[in-house]
């Protein structure tokens, strides 16, 4: 039996549904999903295995024009997704007309590898608009196969998966067949906490936050975790903690519940808040947090 394997990298503007699609393919919540833009900061690998295939899906940050060093690093993850893809998924939502960075768009139009252009969120549109967008994208990216999907409603996700299997190259597996991702456990702890901050805090707060898990001790019955929430200013620290610690406590309770589901084990989670001034523009700090090679 011939074995297929390859990298299928998902790119697109913020909030088009890349993380929802990735999680639907993988069957696990590897990527956090919120209604806020720039939820995904890293390139996250999700591995789907079968007897005769291994698909390495990559969720990437939404394409933006960088305003600070962290965002530059995020766009470097998108660049790397062009370099090693065997299949490129370019995801758009029904109302949009272009990428937020023209250089990336030109790369897609000139891609020598298969491009699947997925028009997402069609459940929120009319038949007339759908037909109009199909024609628009077929003309705009003639080298792509254009497909309609709803990642949230799981419409046509299986169809896209089967098409990927058809066009994937023959190759041995890149990772052990029981592996789900290339990220360590601490990464998913950090993301679970960051997701709750994105959900419960407004304005600049979620974007000024980075999480670092300092301790992760796993025993037979429980995982003990100690994580630090880093902010850029003292005022932000006060907002994260909240009145009598109530806001921080809510983040801890909700993150712990999600982590217990993810690890299928009891979790003891301690959270602390520290000020780490200007970390988003500090290359040395960004490298420490896994943003720069």
């Amino acid at each position: 039996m011939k074995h297929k394997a390859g990298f299928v990298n998902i790119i697109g503007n913020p909030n088009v549904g890349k993380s929802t699609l990735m999680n639907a393919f993988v069957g696990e919540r590897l990527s956090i999903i919120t209604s806020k833009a720039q939820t995904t900061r890293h390139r996250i690998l999700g591995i789907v295995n079968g007897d005769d295939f291994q698909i390495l899906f990559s969720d990437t940050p939404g394409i933006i024009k960088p305003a600070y060093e962290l965002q530059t690093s995020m766009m470097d993850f998108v660049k790397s997704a062009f370099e090693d893809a065997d299949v490129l998924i370019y995801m758009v939502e029904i109302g949009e007309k272009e990428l937020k960075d023209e250089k990336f768009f030109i790369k897609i139009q000139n891609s020598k590898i298969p491009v699947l252009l997925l028009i997402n969120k069609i459940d929120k549109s009319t038949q007339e608009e759908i037909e109009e967008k199909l024609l628009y994208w077929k003309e705009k990216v003639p080298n792509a196969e254009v497909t309609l999907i709803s990642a949230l409603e799981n419409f046509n996700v299986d169809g896209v998966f089967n098409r990927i299997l058809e066009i994937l190259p023959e190759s041995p597996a890149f990772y052990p067949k029981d592996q789900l991702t290339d990220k360590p456990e601490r990464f998913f702890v950090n993301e679970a906490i960051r997701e709750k901050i994105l959900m419960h805090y407004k304005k600049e707060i979620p974007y000024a936050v980075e999480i670092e898990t300092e301790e992760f001790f796993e025993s037979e019955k429980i995982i003990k975790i100690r994580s630090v929430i880093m902010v850029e200013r003292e005022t932000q620290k006060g907002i994260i903690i909240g009145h009598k610690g109530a806001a921080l406590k809510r983040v801890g309770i909700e993150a712990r519940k999600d982590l217990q589901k993810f690890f299928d084990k009891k979790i003891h989670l301690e959270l602390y808040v520290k000020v780490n001034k200007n970390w988003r523009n500090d290359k040395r700090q960004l490298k420490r947090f896994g943003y720069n090679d």
Side-chain angles (χ1 to χ4, degrees), residues 67-83:
Y68 42 84
E69 198 61 43
L70 169 63
Q71 291 180 337
T72 301
S73 297
M74 287 161 60
M75 292 309 96
D76 287 341
F77 288 130
V78 179
K79 285 176 192 169
S80 73
F82 279 94
E83 289 161 10

Side-chain angles (χ1 to χ4, degrees), residues 10-14 16 18 60-63 89-92 96 99:
I10 309 167
I11 62 166
N13 283 333
V16 294
K18 298 183 297 298
T60 61
I63 292 170
I89 292 180
Y90 172 30
M91 202 163 179
V92 301
E96 71 178 83
L99 266 179

Side-chain angles (χ1 to χ4, degrees), residues 64-114:
I64 52 172
K65 291 201 170 166
Y68 42 84
E69 198 61 43
L70 169 63
Q71 291 180 337
T72 301
S73 297
M74 287 161 60
M75 292 309 96
D76 287 341
F77 288 130
V78 179
K79 285 176 192 169
S80 73
F82 279 94
E83 289 161 10
D84 62 17
D86 295 293
V87 178
L88 201 60
I89 292 180
Y90 172 30
M91 202 163 179
V92 301
E93 61 180 347
I94 199 74
E96 71 178 83
K97 291 193 170 180
E98 60 193 10
L99 266 179
K100 291 187 177 175
D101 188 314
E102 194 178 352
K103 292 190 295 247
F104 283 125
F105 193 72
I106 292 166
K107 276 188 169 188
I108 293 165
Q109 290 173 313
N110 295 315
S111 174
K112 298 288 186 273
I113 61 163

Side-chain angles (χ1 to χ4, degrees), residues 193 196-197 201 247-256 271:
I193 297 163
K196 302 311 171 191
I197 291 168
Y201 298 85
L248 183 63
K249 186 177 179 182
R250 178 171 66 174
V251 168
I253 290 169
E254 292 185 10
R256 182 173 55 79
L271 291 180

Side-chain angles (χ1 to χ4, degrees), residues 111-247:
S111 174
K112 298 288 186 273
I113 61 163
V115 178
L116 303 181
L117 195 156
L118 307 184
I119 304 175
N120 190 29
K121 305 184 185 180
I122 62 162
D123 51 305
K124 297 182 178 178
S125 187
T126 62
Q127 188 61 35
E128 186 182 4
E129 189 181 15
I130 287 168
E131 288 171 8
E132 180 191 317
K133 292 301 176 188
L134 265 172
L135 285 172
Y136 174 83
W137 286 111
K138 282 178 179 178
E139 287 177 11
K140 195 88 172 170
V141 193
N143 57 312
E145 292 181 30
V146 183
T147 304
L148 302 168
I149 70 160
S150 172
L152 190 62
E153 301 295 330
N154 215 24
F155 171 74
N156 212 16
V157 172
D158 286 347
V160 174
F161 187 91
N162 292 333
R163 181 63 185 134
I164 289 166
L165 274 180
E166 286 174 9
I167 58 181
L168 216 59
E170 286 183 23
S171 168
F174 291 89
Y175 288 87
K177 282 292 187 103
D178 60 351
Q179 193 165 333
L180 181 66
T181 182
D182 63 335
K183 297 292 184 194
E185 286 104 335
R186 292 181 191 221
F187 175 83
F188 295 103
V189 173
N190 298 345
E191 289 291 271
I193 297 163
R194 195 166 65 84
E195 179 183 53
K196 302 311 171 191
I197 291 168
L198 278 156
M199 286 169 60
H200 293 305
Y201 298 85
K202 295 177 182 176
K203 297 180 180 175
E204 180 65 10
I205 294 289
Y207 303 104
V209 162
E210 181 60 41
I211 317 298
E212 188 170 39
T213 294
E214 295 185 335
E215 293 178 5
F216 185 99
F217 296 122
E218 186 169 4
S219 61
E220 192 179 335
K221 293 183 178 177
I222 192 169
I223 303 172
K224 294 182 179 179
I225 300 166
R226 183 181 189 275
S227 300
V228 177
I229 299 169
M230 294 182 190
V231 292
E232 292 192 312
R233 296 193 298 275
E234 283 291 341
T235 51
Q236 294 166 345
K237 180 178 178 179
I239 292 167
I240 289 284
I241 293 170
H243 181 61
K244 294 185 178 178

